[in-house]
Amino acid sequence: MGFFIYMSDQDFLYWSGKKLLKAFKSKELSPVEVTKASLERAKHIQTECNAFTDFFEKQAIDLALKSEKVFLDNAQEPRLLEGIPFAIKEEFAFKNSCRSSSSKIFKDRIDNYTDVYIQRLLDQGSIPLFKTTTPEFCLLGTTWSDLHGITTNPWNKKYTPGGSSGGSGAALATGACAIASGSDIGGSIRIPAAACGVFGYKPPYGRNPEVPYGNLDYYSHSGPMARSVEDIILMQLSTAGMHNQDIASMPKPEDFDGNSNLKNIKIAWSDHLCGFEVEDDIVTNMKNALNLFEKNGAIVEYVDPKLPDNILDAAGTYLTALWGTSLKEIAKGKEELLCAYTQKFIEASKEKTLSELVHCNNVAWDAYAKFGPIFDKYDAFICPTNAVTGIPADHGYPNLEYVFNGETRKTEETGDESMWLTTPFNMLSRLPVMSAPTGFASNEVPTGMQIIGKAYDDNTVFRVSLGYEKAIPWLFDKNNRPKL
């Protein structure tokens, strides 16, 4: 067959990248058709959720035509992500596009290069469709800024899609793309993955190369977001491995063998970590997920990880001291252009001392001394991703109220770490972590759990995540998609 069959039903917008590849190879679908439909969907979603900062329509269609030719000619082997629609988080540099960092300071900054993480995904044939929203300098677990406005959760627009990769999460949840890039320094991949009902992977530190100087911050990770674990794996196959501009980059791990058998996998779990309060719906949904593991042969046991009670304070100090100090220099003389939450963050950083920063690393050592031995007995550890679902879309100083189990509460002025169980695993950064969807809270916002593996053991996390995904038939079926 030398031509493509065009489909009237656009259900393919919710297909995984792997399924799209299969359809491209069989000529059931064309990359051009999928690219055009994805862009059309995104433009509609923009009016609903405000998830995009830039569109690359001409470039995307030109690249899709080249991918289409690959499948028509059969003269070369399609690349790993050939023709797959791809969202770029606004924080990443993409040549000839704006990288504002969602700040008025950089509203006109155009990059003349592409970040290595993005380039590796492009080199495998993905089609860049648009850039997605973030909070200013990726500072929040929600997604809004004075420059780009408020991004809302497509499942319930009253609430946040999470952050800082909130636009990427919303794009995936609405079928506007199959794969998306994210970055994670305190949970910024996993928070929106959970809030939007998709998968998000924080790889071990150094697994994916990054650009200086963020590559030397061991809390910082670039990683994949997608609606399927198989797409997460394809993205990691595309991006992992050493790079000559990143001294912290690690060798590529052994290729995942596709094993999704959960029989006799030993899973430890907890619902609280270091004093977190977690909403009832989130805990209930996670326990239902744990029951699925048991039904599929896994051994599931509750443990108390005994993480230090001061881990959140220490992580907050680390992020404020390093991040805030760098932002102070960037914003010097332009402070009036900053969002109120960025100004508050910079002010807090001025109070931090070098001895406090040293203390943060002592807490990290103590935390892993307690947590690491869990993996002597278990293959994976599971806990919630987010502690709260009822977070308004504009949460972040000066808007500090949120709803927890029906009760109105307030977060601290300079941090919201108590709402996410993600930050401890940025401190324990060599541990791979997948956020996986577990269902929905009563307010219709999705819930998620983190699947944590031992240091640099990506493939066990992939195995556990893939086995779980295959056990949840409701994931993005026609009855479980945002109703916009």
Side-chain angles (χ1 to χ4, degrees), residues 17-47:
K18 188 166 184 178
K19 186 173 180 180
L20 287 172
L21 279 168
K22 186 177 179 182
F24 295 158
K25 289 176 182 178
S26 69
K27 313 294 192 300
E28 182 185 356
L29 273 175
S30 159
V32 176
E33 176 187 12
V34 173
T35 295
K36 289 180 176 179
S38 298
L39 286 164
E40 184 181 339
R41 172 67 58 87
K43 288 175 182 177
H44 171 65
I45 297 308
Q46 182 69 347
T47 65

Side-chain angles (χ1 to χ4, degrees), residues 76-201:
Q76 64 188 78
E77 186 67 23
R79 294 166 290 180
L80 285 176
L81 301 169
E82 193 72 63
I84 303 305
F86 168 46
I88 300 175
K89 183 178 180 180
E90 208 266 1
E91 175 193 13
F92 289 103
F94 178 45
K95 190 173 181 178
N96 297 326
S97 74
C98 180
R99 177 171 54 95
S100 69
S101 296
S102 293
S103 176
K104 292 180 178 179
I105 291 176
F106 293 123
K107 66 183 178 66
D108 298 318
R109 177 172 60 183
I110 304 296
D111 286 311
N112 61 4
Y113 69 98
T114 297
D115 279 337
V116 56
Y117 180 71
I118 301 301
Q119 189 61 57
R120 287 188 171 182
L121 293 166
L122 300 177
D123 287 346
Q124 288 298 331
S126 64
I127 308 294
L129 301 182
F130 34 67
K131 275 197 163 185
T132 56
T133 49
T134 72
E136 187 171 46
F137 297 112
C138 297
L139 277 173
L140 299 178
T142 56
T143 297
W144 65 275
S145 67
D146 292 343
L147 179 62
H148 290 134
I150 300 170
T151 301
T152 58
N153 192 317
W155 298 95
N156 183 335
K157 292 191 288 184
K158 178 180 177 181
Y159 299 112
T160 183
S164 62
S165 311
S168 288
L172 289 165
T174 54
C177 59
I179 59 174
S181 60
S183 59
D184 193 316
I185 197 172
S188 288
I189 288 172
R190 292 160 289 153
I191 293 167
C196 293
V198 302
F199 290 92
Y201 185 58

Side-chain angles (χ1 to χ4, degrees), residues 243-260:
H243 188 270
N244 63 10
Q245 296 299 303
D246 184 359
I247 197 171
S249 59
M250 298 286 296
K252 202 166 190 172
E254 183 178 344
D255 285 351
F256 179 58
D257 62 8
N259 185 4
S260 60

